[in-house]
Amino acid sequence: MRMSPQDIEAGARAILFALDGVHQIPRFSMRKPAPDLDEAYAIAAAVVAQRVARGERPIGWKVGFTNRTIWDEYDVHAPIWGPIYDSTIAPAADGIAQCSAALFCEPRIEPEIALRLARVPDPLMDDRALLRCVDGIAHGFEIVQSLFADWRFAASDTVAGCALHGCYRHGPFTPVDGADPDAWCEKLSRFRIALSCNGVAIDEGGAENILGGPLQVLRHLAQGLADNPHGWELGVGDIISTGTVTRAFPVKAGQHWESVITGLPLSGLVLEIR
């Protein structure tokens, strides 16, 4: 590793300062030498440690860039991951959630599917076995943000910058225990989500856009965390956000975003941007 422990800690402090102050910072990838992905994950791990030290608690994971249709748009060509915290996630009330755009840098909305773990999965499991590790499935909106101006970055920047996570709002978790596993696996590989803003259709996408479905994303995350050197691991009760099904769209105060899901026994959500 070319970065010293002091450089990694300094990078983490800069990220946390930017998150708290809602301001952007220069890209790490513009430094010489630029950090590689391993060093970027080391910075991310230091951010986690600093957030935990001040009282935040990781309760799950977001997996980003699972949607291959946006890889060229952002010049990031493989999934990444980072923690979700108790301070950044909240359930919707009666299908309606809220968040403030002013809390994030260039915020964008992503409609997603979330899995809640009952057991720790093994990446070698088939889809049916992975499903047995899940006790609930929900629909959610993630607000992502870019700590780097104009959403221009390298993969290492997105990893160091908390995997672009801003906040997560989700509907109720539908239990899958005791359900027909083959039926669920089929649904999870074929569902679709339509996204609208202020009553105007914006985009639509399906399971094929997120590595083929949420279970494939879970497998990818399990493999990635198994190989990581920072002590990150999946745990029972973790909530896994499996990536945007549509493209990500800028949000601003006064907007009213709505999703409609077909092919899954989940209700759509409304997200009001303040």
Side-chain angles (χ1 to χ4, degrees), residues 11 38 88 131 153 194 218 272:
D38 289 339
T88 65
L131 185 66
F153 40 62
L218 177 59
E272 298 174 346

Side-chain angles (χ1 to χ4, degrees), residues 15-268:
I15 288 169
L16 202 55
F17 186 70
L19 289 172
D20 291 344
V22 194
H23 66 81
Q24 294 172 314
I25 57 177
R27 287 178 278 165
F28 289 90
S29 58
M30 301 299 291
R31 298 182 180 185
K32 299 196 180 298
D36 59 23
L37 275 179
D38 289 339
E39 290 167 328
Y41 274 111
I43 295 171
V47 172
V48 175
Q50 291 180 21
R51 294 181 78 156
V52 169
R54 70 184 194 179
E56 294 181 84
R57 181 171 61 91
I59 63 167
W61 302 88
K62 67 82 46 92
V63 189
F65 294 103
T66 56
N67 188 334
R68 299 183 183 94
T69 68
I70 65 173
W71 284 2
D72 289 341
E73 179 180 352
Y74 296 101
D75 198 26
V76 176
H77 295 89
I80 63 169
W81 51 84
I84 293 173
Y85 299 86
D86 58 348
S87 57
T88 65
I89 191 170
D94 297 323
I96 300 175
Q98 297 179 333
C99 76
S100 172
L103 297 177
F104 308 107
C105 297
E106 296 187 57
R108 297 186 177 188
I109 188 171
E110 298 185 342
E112 306 188 350
I113 298 296
L115 310 176
R116 188 176 60 205
L117 297 184
R119 303 171 189 83
V120 176
D122 186 296
L124 298 179
M125 289 176 170
D126 63 18
D127 286 1
R128 284 173 58 99
L130 285 173
L131 185 66
R132 287 194 292 271
C133 295
V134 175
D135 74 355
I137 299 176
H139 166 49
F141 285 126
E142 184 179 18
I143 296 298
V144 292
Q145 63 174 328
S146 178
L147 296 180
F148 314 101
D150 302 319
W151 281 83
R152 296 182 60 193
F153 40 62
S156 59
D157 298 315
T158 71
V159 167
C162 304
L164 306 180
H165 179 61
C167 70
Y168 200 79
R169 302 292 183 261
H170 64 86
F173 280 87
T174 297
V176 297
D177 289 347
D180 181 347
D182 291 330
W184 265 108
C185 288
E186 177 73 10
K187 289 179 172 65
L188 287 168
S189 69
R190 294 184 178 275
F191 73 90
R192 298 194 66 77
I193 299 178
L195 182 67
S196 63
C197 179
N198 295 341
V200 177
I202 298 296
D203 202 10
E204 183 175 335
E208 69 277 6
N209 289 343
I210 51 171
L211 304 184
L215 295 176
Q216 285 67 39
V217 177
L218 177 59
R219 180 182 292 113
H220 181 89
L221 177 61
Q223 182 63 66
L225 293 183
D227 294 339
N228 89 92
H230 304 297
W232 291 1
E233 58 185 7
L234 293 171
V236 172
D238 279 359
I239 293 172
I240 313 299
S241 168
T242 56
T244 185
V245 174
T246 69
R247 292 169 293 156
F249 294 91
V251 300
K252 62 183 180 180
Q255 290 179 330
H256 176 104
W257 291 85
E258 187 169 2
S259 59
V260 175
I261 302 176
T262 54
L264 283 173
L266 305 176
S267 298

